[in-house]
Amino acid sequence: MLWTFYSRVSVWKWFVVLLLYSVQANDAQLCSEQESVDITNGTMDGDESVLYRGVQYSAFQYFQDGTVRRGCICLVRQCIYVCDAEEWASGGLTELYANVSGDSGEKHVLVNLATDANYHLILKEPHCAGHWYAPEQHQMIITSEGELNLNDNILDYSEFCMLPKNEMGEFNAFYCELSIASDWSHQIYAWGILMSFFFLVATFVVYAILPELRNLPGMLLMCYVAALGVSYLLLGLVRMNIYGYQSFVCKGTAYTLYFTLMASFFWLNVMSFDIYWTFGGSHGRTTERTKFLYYSLYAWGVPLLFLSLILLFDHTDLISYNHRPNVGEEVCFLKPQKKIEFLYFYLPLLLIISTNICFFAITANRIHQSNPTDASTMNDNTGRQSKRDNDRNRFGLYLRLFFIMGLTWSLEIVSWLLVDPEAASWLWLVYLLDICNCLAGIIIFFLFVWKQRVKNLLLQRFGRKAKTSRDSYTVHTTAQM
């Protein structure tokens, strides 16, 4: 079976990985590398706090990264990012002025952030998914919490960077903001993906309430739709930008999204294998219940092991920082870096798509070769021929489903391979991917639900209930009379 093939190869490897995870899980990474400082040479007190260069780090404000102890300076002081940091990295920065408001927020004074003990300068620009804008100097005030007050619009320290004063003695800042077009496209995509989510929910509900559809193929489709539906819901919420930067909810959503996306890929792989197995000839008397158990162990278990692996890498020092998934650090998913995305997402996706293509190609060839034989025995084996026709119809549905989802994710891989996917010359591909994603749930609904057989089953089920209710009312009324 499929599960046996994979388990023999990887059971011991995953056991060792999970064992290492249980031993080293306490060395959790509390902050990113750029928002931390090396405090290995600091002085440790009896309460496990560390004093380094006048800054006291509690036991919950530093972590161990291999042999290096790193303190999360932004948990102790107010961090300020500095624009054009390359110009100041070599000689150091001694002057960085800003108008800083008091605790009440009414008055503000001119403060040198480079020498003030309440602030820590990070000589690097923060990540910006949109564009940088420069406000007027008189509009810009730094709050006592290290945030940027821009005409009563409060921006977190990760959303702006300060510019040192120029030759005229002026100081300023840049703040990150998505362009109007980009923001609108995100909102449209979010609502489109949520609309597709509701069609996936409808597909799942219909298959759940009709016993006639809950055979092995129907259960496989339900699992696939469930995983894809949760993925679409989380994708829509992420695109709406409702999560805070590096928040616990953002990271939790990212890990869940990774698991459900992987599960949807593996359930589609199971569906491809199942139709390949169906046309493979006699395979003994394996029951549908047993097959579904094996399929579930594979399609839910392998993504769960992948999730455990990225949790292990993110929260231990088993591998170097540059090779970690860094989930939720910059966006509510994997770190947006080519190497990271390829290792943890696109490589498994590419392998699964290639495997599915092989399964469908072999199955199509078997169907083609079996046509002459089936035609000659049609009259003698009516029941068997009917089953073969049903299997062929199911193959056609699976093939269309794979074509839709496989084409979408294949285009996603092509888009990912582009050097600059946001360039104007490639916008058509980005929009095409968005349209395919938004229509996927709708297409699945019309493929598997909007059929005459399913409509008849729904009418029979609810029509029978309505008739029973009317009959009961008639009997009850007659008895009263």
Side-chain angles (χ1 to χ4, degrees):
M1 296 296 293
L2 187 64
W3 168 250
T4 306
F5 173 77
Y6 281 94
S7 62
R8 289 178 179 176
V9 177
S10 57
V11 166
W12 286 109
K13 179 182 71 174
W14 293 117
F15 176 77
V16 173
V17 166
L18 293 176
L19 181 63
L20 289 172
Y21 175 71
S22 63
V23 173
Q24 303 185 34
N26 291 329
D27 295 331
Q29 179 186 334
L30 302 178
C31 57
S32 63
E33 185 176 15
Q34 67 187 33
E35 294 187 358
S36 65
V37 294
D38 185 353
I39 60 171
T40 306
N41 297 326
T43 304
M44 180 173 291
D45 296 334
D47 58 353
E48 295 188 351
S49 63
V50 176
L51 178 64
Y52 181 75
R53 293 188 176 181
V55 181
Q56 192 80 23
Y57 299 87
S58 69
F60 303 100
Q61 294 173 334
Y62 67 87
F63 64 96
Q64 198 72 25
D65 185 11
T67 59
V68 179
R69 183 184 298 119
R70 306 199 67 86
C72 296
I73 186 65
C74 296
L75 298 179
V76 184
R77 292 182 173 180
Q78 306 297 336
C79 284
I80 300 292
Y81 280 92
V82 180
C83 311
D84 300 330
E86 294 80 6
E87 301 180 13
W88 316 96
S90 58
L93 184 61
T94 58
E95 292 184 340
L96 184 66
Y97 290 94
N99 292 321
V100 179
S101 63
D103 294 334
S104 62
E106 297 177 358
K107 297 182 179 180
H108 58 268
V109 295
L110 190 64
V111 174
N112 185 2
L113 304 177
T115 58
D116 194 298
N118 295 319
Y119 300 93
H120 172 77
L121 305 183
I122 301 178
L123 301 181
K124 185 177 181 180
E125 295 178 2
H127 172 72
C128 179
H131 301 282
W132 291 104
Y133 295 93
E136 297 293 334
Q137 182 177 341
H138 66 277
Q139 297 176 329
M140 186 193 67
I141 298 174
I142 302 297
T143 68
S144 58
E145 301 296 327
E147 300 166 325
L148 178 63
N149 186 342
L150 190 62
N151 292 333
D152 295 329
N153 183 23
I154 305 300
L155 301 178
D156 186 72
Y157 74 92
S158 62
E159 299 176 297
F160 73 95
C161 60
M162 295 293 299
L163 279 168
K165 67 179 182 179
N166 55 23
E167 297 177 356
M168 302 297 295
E170 299 172 334
F171 58 90
N172 213 324
F174 282 120
Y175 66 95
C176 180
E177 184 177 277
L178 291 175
S179 64
I180 296 178
S182 177
D183 186 57
W184 270 105
S185 65
H186 274 65
Q187 293 297 320
I188 292 174
Y189 177 83
W191 286 109
I193 210 80
L194 289 178
M195 179 182 65
S196 195
F197 160 74
F198 288 116
F199 277 90
L200 291 171
V201 171
T203 303
F204 183 88
V205 170
V206 168
Y207 272 72
I209 63 178
L210 293 178
E212 297 86 351
L213 300 181
R214 292 200 301 270
N215 52 12
L216 179 61
M219 295 296 292
L220 299 183
L221 180 66
M222 288 176 64
C223 291
Y224 171 71
V225 166
L228 189 64
V230 175
S231 300
Y232 271 38
L233 174 62
L234 297 179
L235 277 173
L237 296 177
V238 168
R239 281 296 186 99
M240 288 182 173
N241 297 320
I242 65 174
Y243 301 113
Y245 176 73
Q246 293 187 346
S247 66
F248 175 79
V249 178
C250 173
K251 292 187 176 183
T253 299
Y255 285 121
T256 307
L257 177 58
Y258 179 84
F259 170 75
T260 54
L261 275 177
M262 280 296 175
S264 68
F265 299 151
F266 278 96
W267 275 112
L268 189 58
N269 183 234
V270 164
M271 295 167 73
S272 305
F273 174 81
D274 183 65
I275 199 68
Y276 157 82
W277 183 266
T278 300
F279 284 91
S282 177
H283 302 289
R285 295 184 177 180
T286 305
T287 64
E288 288 194 350
R289 183 183 182 89
T290 302
K291 289 175 68 176
F292 181 71
L293 176 61
Y294 286 144
Y295 289 156
S296 298
L297 288 173
Y298 169 71
W300 294 121
V302 177
L304 184 61
L305 291 175
F306 280 0
L307 177 62
S308 301
L309 189 63
I310 67 170
L311 282 168
L312 171 69
F313 290 160
D314 263 351
H315 296 86
T316 69
D317 57 348
L318 190 63
I319 62 176
S320 64
Y321 178 81
N322 293 331
H323 293 89
R324 296 175 188 173
N326 293 318
V327 172
E329 182 175 302
E330 297 184 15
V331 294
C332 295
F333 198 57
L334 298 171
K335 184 178 180 180
Q337 187 180 79
K338 291 282 188 181
K339 177 176 62 178
I340 300 300
E341 292 173 335
F342 175 75
L343 288 175
Y344 298 102
F345 186 73
Y346 287 104
L347 178 59
L349 175 57
L350 190 61
L351 293 175
I352 291 174
I353 291 178
S354 302
T355 305
N356 291 346
I357 292 175
C358 292
F359 284 148
F360 279 113
I362 295 173
T363 304
N365 183 60
R366 287 174 175 174
I367 292 175
H368 176 71
Q369 291 179 347
S370 65
N371 280 335
T373 305
D374 289 345
S376 63
T377 59
M378 182 184 304
N379 295 328
D380 299 332
N381 301 280
T382 305
R384 182 180 179 183
Q385 180 64 26
S386 177
K387 181 181 181 303
R388 300 287 285 188
D389 289 341
N390 290 332
D391 290 339
R392 285 195 184 95
N393 292 334
R394 181 157 61 97
F395 170 75
L397 286 175
Y398 283 0
L399 184 60
R400 279 174 278 177
L401 175 64
F402 169 72
F403 178 78
I404 295 165
M405 303 308 297
L407 177 64
T408 300
W409 286 107
S410 298
L411 289 175
E412 179 71 30
I413 295 175
V414 172
S415 176
W416 171 78
L417 288 173
L418 299 177
V419 177
D420 186 10
E422 295 186 357
S425 58
W426 291 103
L427 279 179
W428 66 270
L429 181 57
V430 176
Y431 291 144
L432 179 61
L433 283 172
D434 290 346
I435 293 173
C436 291
N437 286 327
C438 293
L439 293 178
I442 302 174
I443 295 174
I444 290 173
F445 176 83
F446 278 92
L447 275 178
F448 292 94
V449 175
W450 199 257
K451 300 188 298 183
Q452 191 59 46
R453 175 175 176 266
V454 178
K455 293 179 185 178
N456 292 337
L457 290 174
L458 288 171
L459 289 174
Q460 290 174 9
R461 181 173 180 81
F462 293 102
R464 186 182 301 115
K465 287 185 176 180
K467 183 177 179 181
T468 303
S469 300
R470 288 195 299 270
D471 292 344
S472 299
Y473 175 77
T474 303
V475 171
H476 181 67
T477 306
T478 304
Q480 285 183 338
M481 292 175 63

